[in-house]
Amino acid sequence: MADHMSDVGHHDSRRIAIGSEPTPLDRDESTLAAIDQCLRSLGNDLDDALAVGTSRCGKYTLIDELGEGGYGEVHVAVQDPPASRRVAIKILKRGLDTRDILRRFALEQSALARIEHPNVSTILDAGITEDGRPWFAMPLLDGDPITVACDDGRFSLGDRIHVFAAACDGVQAAHAQGIVHRDLKPGNIIVVPSDQGTPAPKVIDFGIAKAVDVDDGATRTVDLHRLGTPAYMAPEQFSTEEPRADTRSDVYALGVILAELLSGCRPTARATIHDPPPRSPSRAVRDAAKADPTAMTSRAIARGGLSAESLARRLRGDLDAIVAKATAFQPDQRYQSADALAADLRRWIAAEPITARSAGRLERMAGFARRHRVLVTTVLSAVFLIAATTVAALVQASIAQQERTRAELQAQRSSEVVEALRDVLAGIDPAIARGRDRQLMVELLDTTLDRRARNAAELDPVAAAEIAAVIGEAYVSVEVPDRAVQLVDEALAGLDRQPNPRTGTLERDIALARGRLYAVRGDALLRASAMRDGPTFVAESGLDMVASWQAALRAFDEAGAPMDRAAIRCKVRLWGKELVWPDGMNHNALGAELATAVEQLDDREQMKWSFYFRRAEMNNFVELLAEYPPVLERATAALDRLHPLVLSARARLVGFRCAAAVESCLEKKPGLPEYDQEQLRSIWQQTVTEGRTLEADLTAVHGADHRLTLGTRLWVAAAIGYLDGPEVARAFFEALRIDVTRAEGADSVLGRQVEAAWMGALHGPIAGKWW
């Protein structure tokens, strides 16, 4: 090749000399010699490149070398037209062509091909060079290592953890395919802009990945070489006798990266149990601040802290515990998956309790306060005002008889404060108070109740009743209705023991307090009934709750407040059950009156949407299915799709749609839609699709054993039975039976409904109607 290139050069120079006038170039032999030497050198370089087969890899042309890894060389390459895209190509190093290394590199290719995740750099192509060296192509990432990207972008702690948790998701995706990275470090987590412009991490270079699938004979070979970067290697990878690595080794490396990301200080490697444990991130920050205050202050500012000490305070506690668990010396003491590590980090972001350590009650309360600052601040302020006003009332009541008027005035002011507190606590619902938060709210209410009980004998009866109504309403919101009923009944008994009031104002206050207590009592009985009966439709109410609402309305009429907020709520409840107030009033007239009243309410007021939902439900199926979805859409926009009222309405719509389809199969009558077989299949499929999404949302808000969650699963199982037959639906019903039995008992109402739905799957809709 070199000789050929040389011949071409000399032939061209002679042709120039014959076909033109002599030039200085023709006469300059030294210049000609230099050109000839350059051509010879270029020819030799091309010969060498072609000889080793590295100028081309399949349909890619190598144009530049990016660097070297433990086993491979990384090159920039361009794909042949029409794609013409730039990619990164990794090729096995020359000289590392042993059978074991070739096997390992081939394993890397297959490992990457099995992973599909947005936070893992995917494999685009693979092959063998002309000289027999494996190669594979990956996207060319325009980004920086995670530590550099976060530092340059001055990411706060929360932003760093958000990006890092996404990287953990990528590692988890590899682990799910049986792939262990074994060389995780900041340089192997590249942060690039996502399609939305947000930072997105990409885990790269599974160059020393090892499959842990025991069924793959190629992966059983014991690797006696230490593979990885020492600063990030787990202790078990340092073993001189039998170095090993599994998914928990990657968790260790992630823990080291996390510590470095949070504090700017890399923990020291720990090869043996006798080595001192690495410093916690908060301690590392304090020590670094002593050694180099200026540098550590700069790092703290970049992480959203005002000083090194402020950064150390934020790291102390949960984040220290998360890093400590991830980097525990013994693998069994670490997070057992990258997913578990990411979950704890996301709990920290959400100010929820983490699993790395058990938080005390005060810390859990503090976490709840961080999540709901406005609610807690307002509640505490209102409670303080109630306490201050009540104390003032008690002091005034203990003075001479002539101060009685002032005491009554203080009691009235106390009622006004209670009204403000009611407005605050009205927003408490299972969406806010779910899981551990719900238990904390119950504990907070219990504590408030205990303090009230200690002063019950001396407390002004009207103020005591108002406070009882507010706390009772809160108990209903967090689904402890029995306690609300008990509290309200005690407060009503206290009012009954009062002598006849001496002033008209006090008489009105007592009537208002009585009305609010009875309203809460009726709502508590309704909630208790709904928790006991029927998964998706409103439970049949007993006479007791209706009597409570009627007693409330009589009290509001006595107080001259027929349109009090609680009075409107009672009227909506009665109207929804096709009852009226006062007796003899036309039902439609009451509905029109309530429609005018609720229309004036704020869109965030639950009572407004409860009325609209119930008004739609009172229609026949055709009208209901036309009116309900638009109301649900408006309520969702006003309250959020995870609001308990919206979740309940979503569950009811799934049920109404499915029930209408079943009814249409049984008989033809006015108000029932008529469906052909294709439409029925579409409804069953829609029930399955929407039901599964709803089940996930209900589980997140209420829990897997909540009646709405189980009821939604019942509709989905029934739809699967109608859609695909009993054999396909059998597994869904069996799993549902187990969960319903565990949550409510085998002979519960819901348990009997499951059996009825199963009969429908077996014998058709005519056997499956249970409502």
Side-chain angles (χ1 to χ4, degrees):
M1 179 69 186
D3 291 339
H4 175 69
M5 293 296 294
S6 175
D7 290 343
V8 171
H10 285 300
H11 179 73
D12 287 348
S13 66
R14 286 195 302 272
R15 186 171 58 189
I16 292 171
I18 292 171
S20 61
E21 292 295 324
T23 66
L25 180 61
D26 293 319
R27 293 189 297 270
D28 190 346
E29 294 296 335
S30 62
T31 301
L32 291 174
I35 294 174
D36 183 64
Q37 182 60 36
C38 288
L39 292 173
R40 286 178 181 275
S41 177
L42 177 60
N44 290 333
D45 290 344
L46 289 174
D47 284 343
D48 291 342
L50 291 174
V52 298
T54 56
S55 64
R56 296 274 298 174
C57 286
K59 55 188 176 185
Y60 304 93
T61 301
L62 307 187
I63 60 175
D64 194 10
E65 182 173 347
L66 283 177
E68 297 183 2
Y71 287 122
E73 303 164 353
V74 184
H75 298 261
V76 179
V78 177
Q79 186 176 350
D80 292 343
S84 300
R85 60 177 169 179
R86 292 162 66 89
V87 300
I89 288 186
K90 187 170 183 179
I91 312 172
L92 188 66
K93 282 184 177 180
R94 295 188 188 92
L96 298 180
D97 53 357
T98 66
R99 180 176 300 177
D100 183 62
I101 293 179
L102 287 171
R103 176 193 62 79
R104 192 181 307 283
F105 202 85
L107 178 61
E108 175 182 5
Q109 297 179 28
S110 63
L112 282 174
R114 286 156 53 188
I115 304 171
E116 294 184 6
H117 193 275
N119 299 118
V120 176
S121 182
T122 55
I123 184 171
L124 301 175
D125 202 353
I128 304 293
T129 63
E130 291 184 2
D131 63 337
R133 296 189 296 153
W135 62 268
F136 66 86
M138 295 182 296
L140 186 62
L141 301 177
D142 184 16
D144 294 309
I146 187 169
T147 48
V148 175
C150 289
D151 287 346
D152 289 351
R154 301 177 75 83
F155 287 10
S156 66
L157 283 182
D159 291 338
R160 288 168 187 260
I161 291 175
H162 180 77
V163 172
F164 181 81
C168 292
D169 294 340
V171 175
Q172 179 66 30
H175 290 174
Q177 294 294 331
I179 307 302
V180 182
H181 192 292
R182 298 206 294 179
D183 192 23
L184 287 171
K185 54 188 176 184
N188 281 338
I189 304 176
I190 304 300
V191 177
V192 299
S194 67
D195 294 338
Q196 293 75 33
T198 57
K202 297 277 188 179
V203 184
I204 67 169
D205 196 6
F206 282 79
I208 51 178
K210 177 184 178 184
V212 295
D213 184 359
V214 296
D215 293 329
D216 184 357
T219 66
R220 297 177 188 165
T221 304
V222 176
D223 180 16
L224 297 179
H225 302 282
R226 289 189 217 142
L227 304 173
T229 304
Y232 301 91
M233 285 167 55
E236 59 268 21
Q237 293 177 271
F238 283 99
S239 174
T240 57
E241 297 179 358
E242 187 177 343
R244 64 190 186 282
D246 60 19
T247 56
R248 295 169 299 180
S249 305
D250 282 352
V251 170
Y252 184 97
L254 288 170
V256 177
I257 298 170
L258 176 62
E260 185 174 352
L261 198 63
L262 297 177
S263 67
C265 309
R266 181 192 304 165
T268 55
R270 192 180 185 197
T272 72
I273 198 170
H274 302 293
D275 295 334
R279 296 172 297 175
S280 66
S282 62
R283 178 62 182 273
V285 167
R286 291 195 299 271
D287 291 349
K290 293 177 182 177
D292 191 344
T294 302
M296 194 61 245
T297 298
S298 177
R299 295 177 199 166
I301 293 174
R303 287 159 175 78
L306 299 178
S307 64
E309 183 56 35
S310 67
L311 175 61
R313 280 197 300 270
R314 292 199 65 193
L315 298 178
R316 190 182 305 125
D318 283 353
L319 291 178
D320 277 347
I322 290 172
V323 170
K325 183 169 183 177
T327 58
F329 187 87
Q330 298 295 343
D332 290 344
Q333 297 175 357
R334 298 175 201 151
Y335 292 101
Q336 297 302 291
S337 68
D339 189 48
L341 170 58
D344 244 5
L345 289 170
R346 290 183 172 118
R347 290 187 189 98
W348 183 88
I349 292 174
E352 296 175 353
I354 64 171
T355 64
R357 68 184 185 125
S358 178
R361 181 173 175 180
L362 288 178
E363 289 179 292
R364 291 189 286 119
M365 286 287 190
F368 177 81
R370 288 196 301 272
R371 291 189 292 280
H372 311 298
R373 285 186 176 89
V374 175
L375 174 66
V376 171
T377 301
T378 309
V379 168
L380 291 179
S381 299
V383 169
F384 175 79
L385 286 174
I386 287 176
T389 308
T390 302
V391 168
L394 290 172
V395 170
Q396 294 298 330
S398 65
I399 304 178
Q401 182 64 34
Q402 63 267 27
E403 297 293 329
R404 179 67 179 174
T405 302
R406 294 181 60 190
E408 292 177 358
L409 180 59
Q410 290 288 3
Q412 180 180 351
R413 291 176 180 172
S414 179
S415 295
E416 294 172 355
V417 175
V418 170
E419 184 64 28
L421 179 59
R422 177 185 292 108
D423 291 337
V424 174
L425 292 185
I428 297 176
D429 51 47
I432 295 176
R434 60 184 178 267
R436 298 173 71 92
D437 288 357
R438 176 183 175 278
Q439 184 57 40
L440 285 174
M441 282 306 306
V442 173
E443 292 176 8
L444 179 60
L445 292 171
D446 289 345
T447 301
T448 304
L449 198 58
D450 290 341
R451 291 175 179 172
R452 171 188 172 276
R454 286 196 293 269
N455 297 323
E458 301 175 351
L459 197 61
D460 177 84
V462 175
E466 292 281 4
I467 294 173
V470 173
I471 299 175
E473 193 172 340
Y475 272 129
V476 174
S477 295
V478 295
E479 297 191 339
V480 191
D482 293 342
R483 205 169 301 176
V485 171
Q486 179 184 358
L487 174 63
V488 166
D489 285 347
E490 292 174 356
L492 284 169
L495 287 178
D496 290 341
R497 289 192 296 268
Q498 288 299 303
N500 292 331
R502 299 183 180 182
T503 66
T505 300
L506 185 56
E507 183 178 6
R508 178 181 181 276
D509 290 344
I510 291 176
L512 280 174
R514 194 184 302 277
R516 287 163 185 165
L517 287 171
Y518 273 118
V520 172
R521 189 177 190 278
D523 290 351
L525 292 171
L526 176 64
R527 179 62 62 90
S529 177
M531 292 170 64
R532 183 178 63 251
D533 305 320
T536 53
F537 295 130
V538 170
E540 290 299 325
S541 62
L543 296 177
D544 199 7
M545 71 180 70
V546 172
S548 293
W549 292 324
Q550 291 173 337
L553 289 172
R554 282 194 294 270
F556 285 123
D557 285 348
E558 291 175 11
M563 297 307 286
D564 183 272
R565 178 178 174 274
I568 294 175
R569 189 170 76 243
C570 291
K571 290 180 180 180
V572 169
R573 302 289 199 205
L574 290 173
W575 172 85
K577 296 187 178 301
E578 302 189 25
L579 300 172
V580 294
W581 183 266
D583 290 339
M585 184 178 188
N586 180 274
H587 185 265
N588 291 333
L590 177 59
E593 177 185 307
L594 292 175
T596 302
V598 301
E599 188 62 34
Q600 308 304 316
L601 298 176
D602 187 274
D603 280 353
R604 291 169 296 181
E605 176 63 63
Q606 298 183 50
M607 190 191 313
K608 182 174 189 174
W609 303 109
S610 295
F611 172 79
Y612 290 149
F613 284 135
R614 184 56 186 150
R615 186 171 65 179
E617 292 168 3
M618 296 177 73
N619 295 317
N620 60 44
F621 271 119
V622 171
E623 295 168 344
L624 184 155
L625 294 177
E627 184 176 341
Y628 209 88
V631 175
L632 177 57
E633 184 177 355
R634 291 177 58 202
T636 302
L639 300 177
D640 184 73
R641 70 182 184 88
L642 296 181
H643 190 281
L645 182 64
V646 173
L647 285 173
S648 176
R650 289 169 60 191
R652 292 165 69 78
L653 180 57
V654 169
F656 285 133
R657 189 182 291 122
C658 194
V662 172
E663 296 275 7
S664 72
C665 297
L666 305 182
E667 58 181 321
K668 305 297 182 184
K669 61 181 181 181
L672 265 180
E674 295 185 9
Y675 299 122
D676 57 30
Q677 289 302 311
E678 183 177 347
Q679 289 172 318
L680 285 173
R681 288 190 62 84
S682 176
I683 291 171
W684 306 140
Q685 187 59 61
Q686 184 180 11
T687 300
V688 173
T689 303
E690 293 185 4
R692 284 173 170 165
T693 301
L694 177 59
E695 179 192 346
D697 290 344
L698 286 166
T699 300
V701 173
H702 293 307
D705 290 338
H706 193 274
R707 307 207 79 253
L708 275 180
T709 310
L710 295 172
T712 299
R713 288 177 58 190
L714 173 57
W715 289 117
V716 171
I720 292 174
Y722 296 140
L723 188 66
D724 299 320
E727 292 309 311
V728 175
R730 185 183 301 275
F732 294 93
F733 274 98
E734 289 177 352
L736 182 58
R737 280 194 192 98
I738 293 172
D739 292 340
V740 168
T741 300
R742 183 188 68 250
E744 305 202 6
D747 195 38
S748 63
V749 174
L750 186 55
R752 293 193 293 272
Q753 291 169 346
V754 171
E755 296 309 316
W758 172 242
M759 289 297 101
L762 285 174
H763 306 297
I766 194 170
K769 180 177 176 180
W770 71 82
W771 50 91

